[in-house]
Amino acid sequence: MKRITTLLVAILCCIGAAQAQNNPLYFNTAYFGSCNSGTNSISPVVGSIPGLAPPDSLLPCMSAGTRYYDTIYFKNFANFSVATITSLKFDSIYLPAGLCWSTNKVNNTFATGEDGVILISGTATVAPGTYKLRIIADVNTSIGNFSAVDMEALAHLRYHLRVSCSNNNCPAVDPTDSVSVYSADTSGCNTALLASIYASGPTTLCIGDSVTLSANYGSGYTYLWSTGATTRTITTGTAGSYSVTVSYGGNSVASSPVVVTSSSTCPINATISPAGPVNLCNGASQTFVAPYHAGYTYLWSNGQTTQSITVSTAAVYSVTVSDGSNTASDAVTVTSNNCGNIDYSNLSYFINCNAATNLITAHVGTVPGLTPMDTALPCLQRSSAGSDTIYFKNFTTFSVATVNSIKFDSIYLPAGLCWSTNKANNTFTTGEDGVILISGTPTAPAGSYKLRIVADVNTSIGNFTAIDLEALAHLRYHVRISCPSYTCTTINPSDSTSLYVPDNSPCSAPPLTANITASGPLTFCDGGYVILTTNYDTTYSYLWSNGYTSANTVIYTSGTYTVTVTQNGNSIVAPPVTVTVNPLPTAAFSLVQNPGTAHTWIVVNQCVGSGLSYIWSWGDNSTNSSGATPTHTYDSAGYYSICVGVTDQNGCQSFYCDSNAHLFKTEGQMISVSVVQYALGISAVTNTEIKMSYYAGAIHFSEMISEPSDLVLYDMSGRAVMSWHHWTGSMLLPDDALADGVYIMTLQNSTRRLSGRIGIVR
C-alpha cells in the first residue's frame, strides 16, 4: 500500500512547481472570482470517473471579443492514495483575461465524490490559442487539511480552454503538454462555419441515465436539432441518432450524427468503501458505503436498505446492489480488538503536562528524527510513576520544501501518560534540537504502543495542519509498558499498522490505591480553581465527596474533599485534602469636590481588606501613587479618571475606576486631589441615594422626608458632629459653630437607610 507520504510529497513538489509559473495572463484577480450565481439552474450529470468532463478537446471554442459561456461538469474525488477526501473547495480558477467562473455549490465546496458544475462566462480579450485551466483548491482529507493546492499537481486535473478567431477552427489541444500555460494558434483566421456535437458523458445509457448533447458555440449562431429543438444543448435518455444544423449569416452546415444506445446489461458496481479501518478498537464504530447510482437499491446482511451502514461489532458485512434487472454483491470483514485501552478521549493524555522538561538539555542530533532507538528506550512499569526522555531533531526540508517550523499538537499515548517538550508552544524551528518528556503512571495493559505524533508543519510552500508525522516523515516510534519486574515487550520495526501489540506475559492486577494530587496550590483567591485528581485505572470507579464520579474534579470553593475509589467490589478512601478560597478585597472610593477650597477635590477611600497595599492611578500618565491617603496635583488641562488597585495580605487583588466622575482642568487652574479614609461605621456613601445641597444657611433635601427618621452628620474623620431624632421635613439648620467642609449625612427609618455627601461653605 502506498504511504500517505507519497501523497503529501507529491502535493508539496507540485505546488512548488505550479507556484513558479507566474504567467502574466493570470494576474487580473477579477477573473478568479465567482461571477454568475445562475449556475444553480444547470443540473450536473452523474459522472462515473472523478475529474472534469467532457474532454477539453470536445469543449467548444470561444471567439475572441465575443460573449461566451460553457458548462464543465466536475465529479469530486473520494480519495487520494490512502487518504479519504472529506471536501474540496475551489479557491480560484485561472482563466484567460475577460472570463470568470462560478459553480453550483455553496461556497464552491464539493463533498466527497459529489457531482457539480463549473460555468465559464465572459468575453475573452486575449489572442487565439490554447489556455490551461488552472484550478487552485483547499482539500480537506482524513489525514489533514491542505490549502492553495494546484489540482493538476495533486490529481493530474489538466484541462484547457480554447480561443479562436471568429468562426475559425479551434486550436488543437496537446494532451501531453504538462508545462505550457498558453499555446498560440498559428493557423490563421478564416470564416468557415462548423457544426459539431459533444456529449457530457457516455452515449451508451443504463437504466435511469441521460446524456447532454451540446453544439459548438458562435455569436449569432442558430440551431435546429433532429428532434426539432432549437437550443444549443439537448438532454436525452432515449436511444437514437441525433444531429444538429448550425446556421449563421445565411449559411448552414449539418453535424455528423451522434448515436445514443441503451443497455439492459449494465455492470453494477457493489464495491464497499470503508470510511476507515476495519479493525475496531475498544468498541469503536465504522461506516461502510456502497456505490451510488440512480435507480440502485441496497440490501445489507444486517437487513438495512440504505446506501451506507454504521457498525460497531465484529462480523462479515455484505451488500447486494440491484438496478431492477441485474444484481452484484460485495462483503467486508470487521474485526474487533482491545487495542491496549488507549484512552484517546481523555485530553489529559495529550496535552503539555510537565514544565520541568526545560531542565533537560537537548543533545545535538546529526540526523532528523527521534533518538535513541525505541528498542533502547527503557520500559515504563504499569501502575508505577516513571518517565522517559526522547530527543528530537527537526527536519530542514521535505522534498523541495523548506521546513520553517513544526508545532506538536498532540502525542497519542497509553492511558495514564502525558507529554511535554522544552520548546515554547511546543514549536521547533528548522533543524532545531529539542526534548520530549513522557511521564506519568501508566494504567494501560503491558505491551508496545505506537507513539503517534500529530503536528502543524510550516513550510516554504504552505502550511499544513494536523499532519501525522509517521505518514509525512516515517517518524515511527514506540513506548513500552511492562508488568512490574517483567522484561520489555519486543518491538517489531516493520509493523506499520498496529497501535498496540500486547505483552502475553502474565500480570497480576495492580493494587487498589487512592491518593489525591492537586494541579496547583490548595489555597487561592476567589475566582481561581484547582483540579484534584486521583489514581486512574480503566477498572476503577469514583465517588468524590462533592458528588463527582470521574477521576478528577474541579474545585472553586473552600472545603475538605476526598474520593472513594472502587474496583471489583473493593473500595478505598483517599486521604482528605483541604482547599481554602480567600475572599477578594474591596476596591472602592467616592469623589467629591471640597467646597471650602477652590479647585480641590476629596477622594473618600472606601477600600476594605486586611493588610492592604495600594496603587493609585490618576489618569494623567503620571507616576502611580501608593498608600491609603496619597495626594496628587494635576498641572495639565484635560479630563481625568481616577483608579485604585488593592492587594491584601493573602495576595488577592481588586481594582476600581470611577467611570461616572471625571475631573476637568483648564489651563491656569491647579487641581489638587486628597485621599481621606472613609468614615468608620457608615454603611454606604453614594451621591444617588440621598441628595442634599447647602445654601442660605440651611441643608436642603431633594425630597420631602415624611416618615420620622434619625439623622447623623459625620465629619471626614468619622466623628458624629450633629444628630436629629424622629425628624421630618425637607430642610435642616446646622449649628453655626460647624466648620466649613465636606460631611456625610446618614438617614435611617423603619423602611430604609440612606447616606450622602454634603459640602458646607458659608
Side-chain angles (χ1 to χ4, degrees), residues 514-651:
N515 294 291
I516 297 175
T517 59
S519 63
L522 294 174
T523 300
F524 49 87
C525 300
D526 190 14
Y529 66 90
V530 64
I531 301 174
L532 302 181
T533 304
T534 189
N535 307 65
Y536 176 80
D537 191 273
T538 56
T539 62
Y540 288 177
S541 61
Y542 309 92
L543 179 60
W544 289 84
S545 53
N546 61 357
Y548 282 80
T549 57
S550 60
N552 51 44
T553 181
V554 182
I555 303 301
Y556 301 93
T557 58
S558 297
T560 299
Y561 298 87
T562 188
V563 61
T564 300
V565 179
T566 302
Q567 179 192 48
N568 299 327
N570 300 315
S571 298
I572 187 172
V573 179
V577 297
T578 300
V579 176
T580 302
V581 181
N582 293 315
L584 300 179
T586 300
F589 63 82
S590 295
L591 180 67
V592 62
Q593 188 171 9
N594 187 347
T597 306
H599 313 305
T600 301
W601 290 72
I602 294 174
V603 173
V604 182
N605 183 345
Q606 299 170 264
C607 299
V608 179
S610 300
L612 295 181
S613 61
Y614 293 82
I615 294 179
W616 295 87
S617 173
W618 306 106
D620 59 353
N621 295 321
S622 62
T623 303
N624 294 334
S625 300
S626 60
T629 57
T631 60
H632 182 69
T633 299
Y634 293 91
D635 54 12
S636 298
Y639 290 90
Y640 304 103
S641 295
I642 300 174
C643 299
V644 64
V646 292
T647 303
D648 66 12
Q649 62 188 10
N650 297 316

Side-chain angles (χ1 to χ4, degrees), residues 384-690:
S384 297
S387 64
D388 272 330
T389 301
I390 304 170
Y391 297 102
F392 173 69
K393 184 177 183 68
N394 195 11
F395 301 83
T396 57
T397 61
F398 292 132
S399 185
V400 297
T402 300
V403 175
N404 298 324
S405 65
I406 288 182
K407 176 183 178 294
F408 288 1
D409 288 332
S410 59
I411 300 180
Y412 287 51
L413 296 168
L417 298 178
C418 54
W419 63 276
S420 60
T421 75
N422 67 327
K423 299 300 176 184
N425 205 27
N426 302 316
T427 300
F428 298 79
T429 59
T430 181
E432 189 175 22
D433 295 282
V435 173
I436 305 170
L437 181 68
I438 307 298
S439 61
T441 302
T443 57
S448 173
Y449 294 82
K450 182 181 292 184
L451 189 82
R452 183 177 169 218
I453 300 176
V454 177
D456 297 339
V457 184
N458 183 308
T459 76
S460 57
I461 63 171
N463 302 328
F464 305 91
T465 58
I467 298 298
D468 188 328
L469 288 185
E470 179 183 1
L472 176 64
H474 303 286
L475 204 63
R476 188 182 309 152
Y477 206 82
H478 298 81
V479 170
R480 293 177 292 174
I481 298 173
S482 69
C483 299
S485 303
Y486 282 78
T487 58
C488 278
T489 304
T490 301
I491 294 174
N492 179 5
S494 64
D495 182 2
S496 62
T497 57
S498 299
L499 288 174
Y500 164 62
V501 177
D503 181 0
N504 294 321
S505 303
C507 284
S508 59
L512 180 61
T513 58
N515 294 291
I516 297 175
T517 59
S519 63
L522 294 174
T523 300
F524 49 87
C525 300
D526 190 14
Y529 66 90
V530 64
I531 301 174
L532 302 181
T533 304
T534 189
N535 307 65
Y536 176 80
D537 191 273
T538 56
T539 62
Y540 288 177
S541 61
Y542 309 92
L543 179 60
W544 289 84
S545 53
N546 61 357
Y548 282 80
T549 57
S550 60
N552 51 44
T553 181
V554 182
I555 303 301
Y556 301 93
T557 58
S558 297
T560 299
Y561 298 87
T562 188
V563 61
T564 300
V565 179
T566 302
Q567 179 192 48
N568 299 327
N570 300 315
S571 298
I572 187 172
V573 179
V577 297
T578 300
V579 176
T580 302
V581 181
N582 293 315
L584 300 179
T586 300
F589 63 82
S590 295
L591 180 67
V592 62
Q593 188 171 9
N594 187 347
T597 306
H599 313 305
T600 301
W601 290 72
I602 294 174
V603 173
V604 182
N605 183 345
Q606 299 170 264
C607 299
V608 179
S610 300
L612 295 181
S613 61
Y614 293 82
I615 294 179
W616 295 87
S617 173
W618 306 106
D620 59 353
N621 295 321
S622 62
T623 303
N624 294 334
S625 300
S626 60
T629 57
T631 60
H632 182 69
T633 299
Y634 293 91
D635 54 12
S636 298
Y639 290 90
Y640 304 103
S641 295
I642 300 174
C643 299
V644 64
V646 292
T647 303
D648 66 12
Q649 62 188 10
N650 297 316
C652 299
Q653 297 179 326
S654 291
F655 300 91
Y656 173 74
C657 293
D658 190 342
S659 59
N660 296 315
H662 303 273
L663 298 179
F664 175 70
K665 177 193 177 302
T666 59
E667 293 292 352
Q669 295 178 336
M670 304 299 292
I671 293 183
S672 296
V673 177
S674 298
V675 182
V676 299
Q677 287 286 16
Y678 176 48
L680 301 177
I682 303 176
S683 62
V685 177
T686 67
N687 280 322
T688 57
E689 290 188 350
I690 181 171

